[in-house]
Amino acid sequence: MWRNCDHLQLCNLKTMTYSEFWQPLTAVYDEGEARAVAQMVMEVHFGLTMADVLCGRMGDEAELLQLQRRLLTGEPVQYVLGLAEFCGRQFHVEPGVLIPRPETEELCRWVIEVAERGKDRCTILDIGTGSGCIATTLALDLLAQPASVVAWDLSDTALLVARKNAERLGANVSFVKQDALCPTDDQACWDIIVSNPPYVCEHEKARMERNVLDYEPAEALFVPDDDPLLFYRNIGHYAARALKHGGSLLFEVNALHGNDTARLMAAMGFGHVETRTDLFGKERFVFASKI
């Protein structure tokens, strides 16, 4: 039985309400985003549905306050939670690793479309793997068309995170420390090369959100204003010799330079070159085949 004093003490305990959690976040986000961030915290961190929340269930108040404080600094919710969703799977992310974007899911779908045209096991290289989201997704989603997947990155942090993501999700991927700007002298060894390299020009910083500029790794985002195609040119030269005959090169690109990237690939001697738009109608992807 509850003693009366215990019952009164419990009744007087104040717990944070859902509105008290999300409303202060409007200092950083607009109202819709603040609510979406709060919902993500409830679902991912506490395992609560919105039905639970509306019935008055909330997470531990000390944890809520700690999470709220971090969000109010502008730290991305994915870093706060340590998780980002990509192609229906949860990937661990942390500072030093780029947060996967929905557009990159479209790149993966195009790679899968290309890979499934072949009849045999294909070899795939992911250049600049970051969290490993592309390489891991391809290794898992091409089970009907088995693929040998290798992923490069220069960042030790990224490689550590990517390996752990692949292991946790049961993907067979080989990770290698390699600079995309100084690639190895491979010859005709890959069926597909895919890359989402740094492509944001320095002058674009003025239009970017502070939570990206202040928290996500600059080395995974930016290229010099005077050389926006730096990575595409170097990776293109590598792909020209390292792809097998009929092999495919697929990029995510800066929408401002999609056509420039396509023209560069054509000038390098690649055959069929194609661009695709993302869900927002921006020139976001480039395909080129080795002839």
Side-chain angles (χ1 to χ4, degrees), residues 235-256:
I235 294 170
H237 282 309
Y238 171 75
R241 65 174 183 271
L243 281 172
K244 299 175 185 176
H245 177 72
S248 302
L249 173 61
L250 295 98
F251 286 126
E252 182 173 324
V253 302
N254 186 327
L256 298 175

Side-chain angles (χ1 to χ4, degrees), residues 72-215:
L72 287 171
T73 68
E75 184 176 358
V77 64
Q78 293 89 345
Y79 287 158
V80 173
L81 299 175
L83 290 171
E85 185 169 322
F86 186 83
C87 287
R89 299 182 179 93
Q90 296 286 347
F91 285 80
H92 171 66
V93 291
E94 61 186 56
V97 175
L98 196 68
I99 297 169
R101 265 59 173 187
E103 307 92 273
T104 310
E105 296 184 5
E106 298 179 61
L107 177 64
C108 282
R109 286 192 283 271
W110 199 0
V111 174
I112 291 169
E113 175 187 322
V114 170
E116 289 180 340
R117 294 175 192 159
K119 297 179 181 178
D120 302 318
R121 183 182 183 91
C122 64
T123 55
I124 299 175
L125 174 64
D126 171 26
I127 298 180
T129 197
S131 65
C133 60
I134 293 176
T136 296
T137 297
L138 296 178
L140 293 173
D141 288 354
L142 282 169
L143 291 178
Q145 177 75 28
S148 173
V149 182
V150 176
W152 289 357
D153 208 292
L154 186 59
S155 164
D156 290 325
T157 298
L159 288 170
L160 179 62
V161 169
R163 284 192 183 99
K164 288 183 176 179
N165 277 325
E167 290 170 2
R168 180 175 55 82
L169 292 168
N172 185 15
V173 180
S174 297
F175 293 96
V176 178
K177 185 174 183 177
Q178 180 63 54
D179 187 349
L181 299 180
C182 300
T184 53
D185 190 26
D186 299 318
Q187 302 289 327
C189 58
W190 307 107
D191 294 296
I192 296 173
I193 295 175
V194 58
S195 183
N196 176 22
Y199 60 64
V200 182
C201 293
E202 291 285 339
H203 71 82
E204 296 180 79
K205 286 183 177 180
R207 299 194 300 272
M208 296 177 67
E209 299 290 339
R210 297 306 310 176
N211 59 349
V212 176
L213 291 174
D214 293 345
Y215 290 94

Side-chain angles (χ1 to χ4, degrees), residues 58-79:
M58 290 286 288
D60 176 76
E61 184 166 18
E63 285 186 81
L64 285 164
L65 286 169
Q66 182 181 33
L67 293 168
Q68 188 185 64
R69 280 193 291 268
R70 291 178 65 182
L71 291 167
L72 287 171
T73 68
E75 184 176 358
V77 64
Q78 293 89 345
Y79 287 158

